[in-house]
Amino acid sequence: MILAVLQARMSSTRLPGKVLMPIVRAPMIIRQIERVARSRRIDRLVVATSTDPLDDAIEAAVRRDGIAVHRGPLNNVLERFVGALDAHPADHVVRLTADCPLADPTVIDATIDLHLASGADYTSNSPDGAAYPKGLDVEVITAAGLRRAAAQADSPEAREHVTWDVWNHPDRWKISWLSDAPGEGEVRWTVDRPDDYAFVATVYDALYPADRAFTSDDVRAFVRGREDLLNYGGDRRA
């Protein structure tokens, strides 16, 4: 059983409320869930948000689409993940963040496939020097590994970043990296600033009406055909 946990909150410091900003007439988080739902390896998805009243709006938005929600401490994301796992038992957990509306289901599946084949505790698609665009990040961890990370969490960073212990103590974990990444670590598709949102909204307006399942290659081709988008906001976009 593979559980995807999509973490989301309204209180982003740089772009508050971004997860519910509209993308083609729906909240951004719903557009991301549409893409994640095309994964053939994920068995269930749950949105992990906080008990902060601001996040009531997230719960309402995703429940309207029949998506499960787990709520936990605002400042302990790791506890939220473990709570989601307790409520929806699984063997492996896929960590996703709700600022990635261009999430790629084929990349998610490739990361999961590698994780299962390698027997790793933790697998990611973003090794140094060979990363996919920011916004396509995928992390997969065994249920036992997630619980171990929670038991060992002894700092605010570990509680906020979920896989902090893996990244900072790789000697403690069996790790696999998806190594065929296209070397696009400088490409920015995540949404963390107003210009990121404007970029993603432009991509969706162009591609979504003709093909709701548009691919990452479709995004690359579209951006490369628009000189004004290539370095939009000062970041490489394709």
Side-chain angles (χ1 to χ4, degrees), residues 20-139:
L20 296 185
M21 293 172 71
I23 298 285
V24 196
R25 301 175 301 282
M28 187 172 80
I29 191 171
I30 298 300
R31 293 295 178 227
Q32 179 170 346
I33 289 170
E34 283 181 353
R35 295 183 67 79
V36 174
R38 295 188 184 100
S39 163
R40 56 183 174 75
R41 301 299 272 148
I42 290 171
D43 297 304
R44 181 156 198 183
L45 182 143
V46 59
V47 171
T49 191
S50 87
T51 53
D52 188 306
L54 282 175
D55 291 330
D56 292 352
I58 293 176
E59 178 171 11
V62 300
R63 284 201 186 277
R64 277 196 295 270
D65 272 44
I67 306 300
V69 177
H70 174 78
R71 301 184 70 166
L74 176 63
N75 296 316
N76 193 333
V77 184
L78 183 50
E79 184 175 325
R80 275 190 257 157
F81 269 69
V82 172
L85 177 61
D86 288 342
H88 307 279
D91 303 303
H92 306 273
V93 176
V94 180
R95 182 193 179 202
L96 303 168
T97 59
D99 52 4
C100 301
L102 295 175
D104 187 329
T106 63
V107 174
I108 293 172
D109 286 345
T111 308
I112 295 171
D113 285 341
L114 175 61
H115 179 75
L116 297 177
S118 66
D121 300 314
Y122 170 90
T123 305
S124 173
N125 73 322
S126 54
D128 291 342
Y132 285 86
K134 296 176 180 68
L136 298 191
D137 299 344
V138 184
E139 295 179 284

Side-chain angles (χ1 to χ4, degrees), residues 206-219:
L207 300 180
Y208 187 86
D211 182 3
R212 295 187 175 194
F214 65 86
T215 68
S216 292
D217 283 342
D218 293 331
V219 177

